[in-house]
Every structure is written in C-alpha cells, then in structure tokens.
Amino acid sequence: MNSTDAIAATTRFCAVFGQPVRHSASPAMHNAALAALGLDWRYLAFEVPPAQLREAIEGCRAMRFLGLNLTVPHKLLALDLMDELDFTAREWGAVNTVRFEAQNESGEWLPLGRFGAVIPDRIRTVGFNTDADAILRSLEDDLGLRASGLRVVLLGAGGAGRVAALRLASAGAAELHLVNRTESKLGPLREEIARRFPATQVFLGYPSGKVDLVLNATSLGLKASDSLPVDLARFDLQQAGAAYDMIYRPAETPFLAEARRRGCRTANGLGMLLYQGARALELWSGRPAPIEAMHMALKQQIYG
Ligand code: ATR
C-alpha cells in the first residue's frame, strides 16, 4: 500500500489537531511511515479551536479513528478529556497523543488498529505524552548527550520548557539553570523539580562556570526579527559544550549559528518532532516506526 494509492472504504484514519495547524509536517512524516509499513491508513490534519476540542475528539471516536496527535493549544486541555491517562501523560502533565482502544473477547483493551472489520461499539480514549522522551532521545542521537549527570542551562519555562526540565531531572541531570523572561514562572518550576526529583540541583539564572548543554525552549528564533533567547552579556556560549534549539524552522536559528561560532556542537528540534511522532505511531500500530522514512519525509517537507 502506497500513500498515493486511492483512499477506499476500508481506509482507516489518524490525525493531528492544532490551531494553527497548516504548518504541521506531521502528515508528511506519518503518511510516509504508513506507506513504508504497508498500512491502509492515512494521517490528516484539522484546525480545531480549543472550545471544540471535546467535540472533535468525540467525532473521531464515533468514526473509529485509530489515534490523534495534539499540538498547540490542546496539550493541557486534553488532560481532562481522556477516559484514561497513561503514566507518561500523568507524569509530564500534558497529552500529545491519543489512542482509541476497544475490548477484545477476553475484555482486554487493545488499540483499534488491532481490530479487523468488526470494531466493538464501546471505545475508550487513552492520553499519552511522547514529547518528553523524544527530548532525551534527540539529545542522545543528535548531540551524543545522556541526561544523567548533565549540567544544563534551560531557556524558557513555558509548556515545552517545563516538560524538558522535568524529564531531564527525572533522568538524572545534575544541574538545571533556569532562565525565563517572566521570572515569576521559575519559582514554582524549581519547587516542583525539588519536590519530585530532589537529586537535581536547580538554580535560577545563568551559571558562571561551564555547562554541558544550553537548550532553547522559548519561541524566540521562529521569526527573523526575534532577539536571541540567551543574554550574551550574562552567558558566554563558549561556556557550553553543546546547544540545542527546539525550533527546527529555520534549520539554523540565530541562536544555533551563534553557538556554532562559539564552538558548541549544535542540533535543532527536528529530532524531537521525529521521535515524538515515531513513538505515537508505535502506540497506534504496535509496530516499530520506520525512522528513516519518517526522517526523510520530514526533511523534504520542511527544508525542501
Ligand atoms: P510552548 O508550549 O511552546 O512552550 P509557551 O508555553 O507559550 O509555549 O512558552 C513560550 C516560551 O517562550 C516562554 O518561556 C516565554 O517566556 P514567558 O514565560 O516570559 O512568556 C518565551 N517567550 C516567548 N516570547 C518571548 C520573548 N519575546 N522574549 C522572551 N521570551 C519569550
């Protein structure tokens, strides 16, 4: 089955919901993967306003969709809309992947992808978070960094920054230096890390010494007119061994270009996008994701 083959009455569907969603590279990535796996499934994208997220999910349940990805602004709202939350969604406090499940004859809940022509009437939604692990996997694959013992400067304490901080701490990061424009967000995050992952030392503001990684989780760099997310008067990028930008469009943000000039190894957030999608597909299909096909499709879609 090729993704360019005609859609038939037997074709099954997954989708991403976001607002905006037009820029999303997930359909290209997932449809390439579905073609590589030979599945007669398609992956669609829908612009869904937050006030209609519940209705949109219910529509997909009624239409026997296999699964959903959720992006801005839905990841927190969805926590209250799921029938069940996987450990990952509870642990990291956000849902970016939904799996529709039904019960087999022994009463076991299975992904809808495991059912053939006859799908039971009673379907449940289970929320997962595949973003958090994707951060660690991308740091390891793209920069050769393992979280354990890592000293990190984290720029940004919004939704993405919070998940990065918690996941790094849970994986044994030694030091987190938290920086955010709105400093009042840092205290609660420091307290949460101290309570849940006390082995990680948390500092507010820039360090004076060396770190292994400086990670941009702010939205600065998406627009050409943006200022740098890091204050170079307070932190010399030479102090960092590596720099990671969660932004992947443009491929090299001014932050990454500056870090590279200052001798850092660098990587952008394409790996995060890839690995969160790969894990979502594995949750829906029960099969290993075709990483290479997904990576190629992403690069083609985003960089041409
Ligand atoms: P996401 O879910 O992508 O993390 P978010 O929760 O809105 O989005 O967080 C955006 C991050 O980028 C925040 O750290 C935000 O800083 P504030 O907490 O001060 O809002 C940061 N950010 C966005 N625009 C910024 C700007 N112009 N200058 C500095 N930081 C900015």
Side-chain angles (χ1 to χ4, degrees):
M1 179 59 54
N2 188 295
S3 66
T4 55
D5 288 351
I7 289 175
T10 47
T11 305
R12 318 267 313 265
F13 296 96
C14 308
V16 57
F17 294 169
Q19 191 185 46
V21 83
R22 291 180 68 85
H23 65 281
S24 175
S26 289
M29 167 171 69
H30 280 285
N31 285 315
L34 296 173
L37 291 177
L39 288 167
D40 182 18
W41 299 4
R42 296 294 187 285
Y43 185 104
L44 309 170
F46 296 103
E47 178 126 350
V48 174
Q52 285 167 306
L53 179 61
R54 180 191 298 273
E55 286 170 78
I57 293 171
E58 289 315 311
C60 289
R61 187 202 306 256
M63 292 187 289
R64 280 39 182 165
F65 272 46
L66 300 150
L68 299 171
N69 282 134
L70 304 177
T71 185
V72 177
H74 299 314
K75 294 183 188 186
L76 299 184
L77 292 171
L79 284 170
D80 294 328
L81 301 178
M82 297 290 109
D83 298 324
E84 299 286 334
L85 291 176
D86 177 65
F87 163 84
T88 52
R90 278 183 271 117
E91 193 74 353
W92 314 120
V95 173
N96 79 313
T97 301
V98 179
R99 185 165 77 185
F100 293 99
E101 297 182 349
Q103 282 171 298
N104 66 8
E105 282 170 2
S106 346
E108 193 185 352
W109 288 99
L110 297 174
L112 283 201
R114 296 274 295 277
F115 292 82
V118 182
I119 299 170
D121 286 339
R122 198 164 146 236
I123 291 170
R124 74 174 187 182
T125 53
V126 185
F128 295 82
N129 183 302
T130 70
D131 287 330
D133 285 355
I135 298 171
L136 298 191
R137 190 165 170 195
S138 184
L139 289 177
E140 182 158 354
D141 270 31
D142 300 328
L143 290 172
L145 292 175
R146 284 178 170 274
S148 176
L150 215 61
R151 294 163 302 171
V152 182
V153 174
L154 180 62
L155 309 168
R162 176 179 171 275
V163 170
L166 293 172
R167 188 68 189 90
L168 284 164
S170 82
E175 294 176 16
L176 288 179
H177 300 265
L178 306 179
V179 174
N180 197 50
R181 171 180 61 178
T182 309
E183 292 186 354
S184 59
K185 287 190 191 166
L186 295 176
L189 180 55
R190 172 164 70 175
E191 277 159 37
E192 184 176 8
I193 297 167
R195 178 171 48 79
R196 295 176 58 185
F197 308 110
T200 298
Q201 283 191 282
V202 185
F203 306 90
L204 304 191
Y206 292 102
S208 51
K210 291 210 176 291
V211 294
D212 304 294
L213 173 69
V214 51
L215 195 168
N216 178 38
T218 77
S219 48
L220 288 175
L222 283 170
K223 292 189 298 241
S225 57
D226 283 344
S227 54
L228 285 183
V230 60
D231 182 348
L232 297 179
R234 288 186 172 156
F235 184 75
D236 185 338
L237 287 168
Q238 278 184 331
Q239 289 170 247
Y244 189 96
D245 200 329
M246 287 195 181
I247 295 171
Y248 51 82
R249 200 172 358 215
E252 187 178 64
T253 57
F255 163 68
L256 286 186
E258 184 63 22
R260 182 170 51 78
R261 283 194 287 272
R262 305 296 277 172
C264 298
R265 288 172 298 116
T266 62
N268 73 20
L270 199 74
M272 272 185 64
L273 178 63
L274 172 65
Y275 293 127
Q276 63 76 31
R279 182 69 192 129
L281 182 60
E282 290 173 353
L283 289 168
W284 301 326
S285 71
R287 294 170 55 179
I291 294 285
E292 262 321 300
M294 298 175 84
H295 195 191
M296 298 244 302
L298 270 187
K299 282 194 288 193
Q300 177 64 31
Q301 176 73 17
I302 296 171
Y303 306 125

